[in-house]
Amino acid sequence: MRTRLTILLALALLVSACGGKAAEPSRSAPPLPVDDAFAVRIAGHQQTGLALARAAATEGKSVSVRKLAGQIAARREKTLPMLLERLADVPSRDGLPDLGVSPQEAADGIGPDALDGARPLDTAFLTLMAQHNRGALALVRAELKDGKDPATKAIAQRVGADVARELDRLNAALADVAQQTS
């Protein structure tokens, strides 16, 4: 018993002499600029998607489109706080890489006001949101390919899964609209 106590005391002295930190879990390296670039682009992207979904949820003609838009908006409202928290960790937005995803591929040209004056709104929403989600998936693929930060990659996986499910539903709704108009 005395030997065990002596060893513990010696370890405590050694730890305090080495800066007082005993075997803390190692932290991963800080995120790379590619991880920061993804955080910046996907946060803005998701905010735009939220604005589009909110507009369609309130102004859509079809109950099914309003319901789908409401579900998309609710998902964005759950995901955005996590994205904004990650965005707060970005030291600077200057000089970030482009991720290899052009603004066209990412559907960056679709702004939050893209549905203003669109008629028929339901079809415009389904078309724009599907294009927007394909852009989000391009950003997600870039992060999963080149990102290094495990937390940012986890965010990309979550966003990617959500957006892929939404895209399936948007495409199905577009097929329904096309069938109704033929």
Side-chain angles (χ1 to χ4, degrees):
M1 180 73 171
R2 188 170 214 187
T3 304
R4 192 179 297 167
L5 185 58
T6 305
I7 291 171
L8 288 174
L9 184 56
L11 280 173
L13 288 172
L14 181 62
V15 167
S16 67
C18 293
K21 292 193 176 184
E24 282 186 13
S26 65
R27 298 185 188 267
S28 61
L32 295 177
V34 69
D35 299 305
D36 290 345
F38 171 76
V40 168
R41 287 185 75 186
I42 203 67
H45 207 271
Q46 294 291 287
Q47 288 172 322
T48 296
L50 175 59
L52 295 172
R54 282 180 174 164
T58 58
E59 298 171 28
K61 292 222 183 265
S62 154
V63 171
S64 62
V65 168
R66 285 195 313 266
K67 181 179 177 184
L68 175 57
Q71 291 166 343
I72 291 171
R75 203 166 3 272
R76 294 290 188 285
E77 288 166 350
K78 283 184 179 178
T79 306
L80 268 169
M82 167 185 59
L83 292 169
L84 296 175
E85 183 178 318
R86 172 60 183 88
L87 192 58
D89 293 337
V90 175
S92 171
R93 295 181 185 196
D94 295 331
L96 292 175
D98 70 2
L99 301 175
V101 179
S102 72
Q104 293 79 16
E105 285 177 285
D108 288 343
I110 299 173
D113 58 352
L115 293 175
D116 291 356
R119 299 292 174 253
L121 184 111
D122 291 4
T123 304
F125 167 71
L126 295 171
T127 303
L128 286 172
M129 199 68 192
Q131 182 182 356
H132 197 256
N133 279 9
R134 285 190 295 276
L137 288 174
L139 294 171
V140 164
R141 281 191 298 275
E143 171 60 23
L144 294 177
K145 178 179 169 262
D146 296 328
K148 301 295 182 219
D149 177 46
T152 306
K153 287 179 88 133
I155 290 169
Q157 288 173 331
R158 179 175 174 184
V159 168
D162 287 348
V163 166
R165 278 191 298 275
E166 290 172 9
L167 188 55
D168 287 343
R169 295 185 66 205
L170 290 161
N171 287 333
L174 275 167
D176 288 345
V177 167
Q179 191 173 33
Q180 290 170 6
T181 58
S182 342

